[in-house]
Amino acid sequence: QTCALPICAIKKAFPCKKVAQIVLGLEVDHAHIHLLPINSEADVDFHKHIELTAEEQTEIAAKIFKAFQELD
């Protein structure tokens, strides 16, 4: 294993060069850790916000979970 398990699972589920790790806490009294599959720093742009349906979010979570389970 050359990376932390969540990072490896994301890379397996969504082939990319890196997984950006961003801690962000704006307008709230807490912070979120965002793990974003990226190929370049230009991919990290929170102005390019996309809306996902609940079904799409569930599909993404299932894909990452499956990849996580398949890690050795």
Side-chain angles (χ1 to χ4, degrees):
Q1 212 68 296
T2 59
C3 57
L5 290 177
I7 304 300
C8 289
I10 290 169
K11 284 179 137 180
K12 183 177 175 83
F14 299 95
C16 59
K17 290 183 180 177
K18 297 179 179 183
V19 175
Q21 302 171 52
I22 301 156
V23 179
L24 192 61
L26 303 172
E27 303 173 2
V28 293
D29 295 333
H30 60 277
H32 293 245
I33 299 173
H34 298 260
L35 301 174
L36 306 172
I38 64 169
N39 290 309
S40 74
E41 289 181 21
D43 294 336
V44 181
D45 185 351
F46 283 90
H47 292 101
K48 295 179 183 175
H49 183 76
I50 61 170
E51 294 287 334
L52 298 174
T53 66
E55 182 178 319
E56 290 170 319
Q57 292 176 32
T58 299
E59 289 172 4
I60 290 169
K63 190 173 182 179
I64 295 169
F65 185 68
K66 181 176 184 249
F68 188 84
Q69 291 178 311
E70 293 172 353
L71 294 174
D72 293 330

